[in-house]
Amino acid sequence: MRKILYIALLNIININAFANPESTQTNTIDSAPKKDSEFKNIINDIKISGFGFARYFYVGGEGGYGLSQQYRIKLDVTTGKVKGFSVTGGIFFSQGSSTPDSGARTHSAVQGSRGTAYNDNFSDRFNIGQIYGSKEFKTNSISINIDGGKMNLDTPFNDKALDLGTGGRINMKQKVNRGEVGYHLSFFDSWMSDHAAYNMRRLVDGDTGQMNAGSLGIGNNLTTFGLKGKLLDDTLHFRLYAANMFRLFDLMTFGDIDYGLKLGNHKLTILAQVAFAMMTTDRAYLLLDNGNRFMSQEFGNTAKTRGIYNIQLAYKIHNFSAKIGYLGSFGSGYGVLLDYKGGIDTAGKVWNGNFTATYEGLGAFGSGSFRGTNINVAYLQLGYKFKFPLKLGLDVAYIFGNTNMPVLNVMANPTIPTHTYASRGSQTFMHADFFEITPSITYNFTKKFEVSIFGAGFIGDIQFFKTRAELKYTF
């Protein structure tokens, strides 16, 4: 395919050269090798990245059961470099929901005989994702990449596959003694996180309103700074990021550090993480209609300061791995990220962003965004890889505090009091204490193609069962 594109491009060049009466034979001959080399770089050095998956969900409890299917493809293509310049473009396809509730069925999941036909479903998309240009500068010890256009937000605050912004960023890497240090600076005039989009959808009525919410961009200018490094021969890692969102968050910070110690076949890693967010006093969403229909009542319940911390100890020997840790919160809330978990490393498959796709987790616009909320999570994760490509896992997490978790229909009648915020319509919440216990199994057909299954059981104030089966290919 690359050869065909290459030959076609050369033919176009030759036609243009002969069509130009001012071109001389000497100039055409002299420039041909250079052009030939440049187009070889563009075509031969193309890089393809992304993933595709098919997921099947079941959820069941005393309130009934639900089923859903979800299909997604993210495909990005980056051209080879010419004088350090390259272009990245990508497509994004998504169909179906990952968070069924009681009564959900998959009768209409095929969506037509000629491919997907959208039925005003908020999560269903097929369009251009990323499209941006890049320029690279390199020396022996420093490399600099400058990107401009529409791109995924690449910080510990974000979902790097879904969240998008229009603007620019600079990433620099510097080699130092026994390691490497990286620097990050970005500015986005318009942006949207998937977490924020789902919350806006819940704050409007009707199918038309929900689809409009799906096409919004937040105009509160987003500026991020970052510093990260790998030091001491890759045994010490650190990240420190800060962000400002004009008239929304004065400050959003994330920091972590981990140190790994090897003793023969044993490896012990200590990780510490902290994140903090402080909302602006005069806060407002800058949208086309000034955000009045979204946040008129919302901000009255908002926690101005939110914080979390996470301490973890990980151990690995041969094919066995384990990690144990504790996450806690401080301030008047715990919603500190633009995604449900961002760069925070814990255990559990569902409690941190797979109940409703809107509220639970550590997102800045979800359950932890409200004043008077807090969260504590004690967690354990075990894993074992066999010599053949099979991995078994077990996640156990105990979540407790004023968690403000959303109540699902599948839970039937909660045993503890619930509450509803005026701006959240019919959605109810409760301060639930509960366990998540999730065994999982993963089999790799190839290095890039895998099938996985997990079954999450919940006991305590929240009681239901959720499974997911997934086929995934990574490009």
Side-chain angles (χ1 to χ4, degrees):
M1 184 65 183
R2 290 181 178 176
K3 290 183 178 179
I4 294 172
L5 290 172
Y6 172 55
I7 293 170
L9 288 168
L10 284 182
N11 286 334
I12 292 171
I13 294 169
N14 290 333
I15 291 170
N16 288 336
F18 284 116
N20 185 354
E22 296 180 1
S23 297
T24 66
Q25 185 67 23
T26 302
N27 289 339
T28 302
I29 294 172
D30 290 342
S31 61
K34 183 178 180 180
K35 290 181 178 178
D36 181 72
S37 176
E38 289 178 352
F39 277 101
K40 277 185 178 180
N41 291 340
I42 291 174
I43 304 301
N44 292 340
D45 294 340
I46 283 178
K47 295 180 181 178
I48 298 175
S49 61
F51 58 85
F53 63 66
R55 291 175 173 173
Y56 306 89
F57 296 89
Y58 167 83
V59 61
E62 292 184 359
Y65 73 95
L67 302 166
S68 71
Q69 299 177 13
Q70 185 184 42
Y71 305 92
R72 184 169 292 173
I73 297 174
K74 177 179 169 59
L75 184 63
D76 296 311
V77 178
T78 302
T79 67
K81 295 181 178 66
V82 175
K83 298 180 181 178
F85 288 96
S86 63
V87 176
T88 298
I91 59 172
F92 185 87
F93 170 81
S94 180
Q95 175 199 342
S97 171
S98 63
T99 52
D101 202 349
S102 178
R105 299 293 183 268
T106 60
H107 303 320
S108 62
V110 71
Q111 290 199 11
S113 61
R114 301 185 180 185
T116 300
Y118 295 111
N119 301 310
D120 291 336
N121 293 321
F122 176 83
S123 61
D124 293 355
R125 313 290 171 89
F126 183 37
N127 217 315
I128 300 297
Q130 299 193 99
I131 180 165
Y132 64 91
S134 303
K135 170 63 176 175
E136 181 184 56
F137 302 89
K138 270 192 172 183
T139 67
N140 290 334
S141 60
I142 295 176
S143 66
I144 300 174
N145 280 279
I146 301 174
D147 304 319
K150 182 179 180 180
M151 66 197 76
N152 289 127
L153 306 182
D154 187 11
T155 76
F157 305 116
N158 297 104
D159 184 323
K160 299 178 183 180
L162 299 176
D163 301 348
L164 283 168
T166 57
R169 66 186 173 208
I170 301 173
N171 286 302
M172 185 175 85
K173 290 182 180 179
Q174 179 182 13
K175 293 180 181 179
V176 296
N177 184 32
R178 298 177 63 188
E180 177 183 272
V181 177
Y183 310 89
H184 169 89
L185 171 64
S186 65
F187 175 83
F188 295 95
D189 171 65
S190 179
W191 57 277
M192 179 59 76
S193 74
D194 209 49
H195 170 57
Y198 268 98
N199 275 271
M200 288 182 176
R201 179 197 65 152
R202 290 298 182 99
L203 300 176
V204 295
D205 296 324
D207 291 339
T208 301
Q210 291 199 22
M211 291 307 296
N212 288 340
S215 62
L216 285 172
I218 296 176
N220 303 70
N221 295 343
L222 170 63
T223 305
T224 61
F225 304 87
L227 176 67
K228 61 182 181 180
K230 300 177 182 179
L231 304 175
L232 303 179
D233 300 324
D234 206 26
T235 59
L236 177 68
H237 307 106
F238 71 90
R239 291 181 293 179
L240 181 61
Y241 279 75
N244 170 266
M245 280 153 272
F246 176 68
R247 288 199 65 187
L248 197 57
F249 281 92
D250 285 332
L251 183 65
M252 187 175 281
T253 62
F254 175 98
D256 67 4
I257 184 169
D258 70 77
Y259 179 75
L261 180 64
K262 286 186 177 181
L263 298 170
N265 295 322
H266 304 264
K267 183 178 181 180
L268 190 66
T269 303
I270 301 172
L271 169 68
Q273 299 183 302
V274 64
F276 174 79
M278 181 171 65
M279 290 205 83
T280 305
T281 301
D282 183 24
R283 45 191 174 262
Y285 272 130
L286 301 183
L287 307 171
L288 288 177
D289 61 357
N290 296 320
N292 293 330
R293 63 190 170 118
F294 292 99
M295 307 303 288
S296 57
Q297 301 177 64
E298 186 81 1
F299 284 143
N301 299 314
T302 296
K304 183 175 182 180
T305 60
R306 308 97 174 269
I308 62 166
Y309 60 90
N310 181 36
I311 305 296
Q312 181 187 114
L313 184 65
Y315 173 76
K316 185 175 182 180
I317 179 171
H318 299 301
N319 296 328
F320 174 78
S321 62
K323 64 182 181 183
I324 186 170
Y326 181 84
L327 181 144
S329 64
F330 58 93
S332 55
Y334 65 88
V336 293
L337 305 170
L338 297 178
D339 176 44
Y340 305 104
K341 56 183 178 180
I344 299 297
D345 183 9
T346 59
K349 307 290 188 187
V350 179
W351 74 265
N352 55 353
N354 213 339
F355 273 29
T356 64
T358 303
Y359 303 113
E360 67 287 347
L362 308 174
F365 310 102
S367 294
S369 67
F370 292 98
R371 187 170 55 245
T373 60
N374 58 69
I375 193 168
N376 304 275
V377 186
Y379 60 88
L380 169 70
Q381 186 178 80
L382 303 175
Y384 186 83
K385 287 184 178 180
F386 293 89
K387 292 183 179 179
F388 53 97
L390 180 71
K391 180 180 179 180
L392 300 179
L394 176 66
D395 288 54
V396 179
Y398 177 51
I399 301 96
F400 60 100
N402 289 339
T403 53
N404 204 41
M405 297 295 292
V407 178
L408 303 181
N409 294 329
V410 75
M411 298 178 190
N413 298 317
T415 58
I416 60 176
T418 64
H419 53 277
T420 304
Y421 298 104
S423 58
R424 292 295 183 176
S426 60
Q427 179 65 55
T428 56
F429 300 83
M430 62 179 178
H431 296 320
D433 299 346
F434 60 98
F435 281 93
E436 176 187 336
I437 303 172
T438 308
S440 60
I441 182 171
T442 302
Y443 181 83
N444 286 87
F445 295 101
T446 68
K447 186 177 181 180
K448 295 186 175 183
F449 182 42
E450 69 177 33
V451 58
S452 62
I453 301 173
F454 74 67
F458 295 88
I459 57 176
D461 295 330
I462 291 177
Q463 297 183 19
F464 69 93
F465 184 70
K466 182 170 185 177
T467 66
R468 187 192 79 185
E470 178 188 68
L471 289 169
K472 183 176 182 179
Y473 186 86
T474 304
F475 296 99

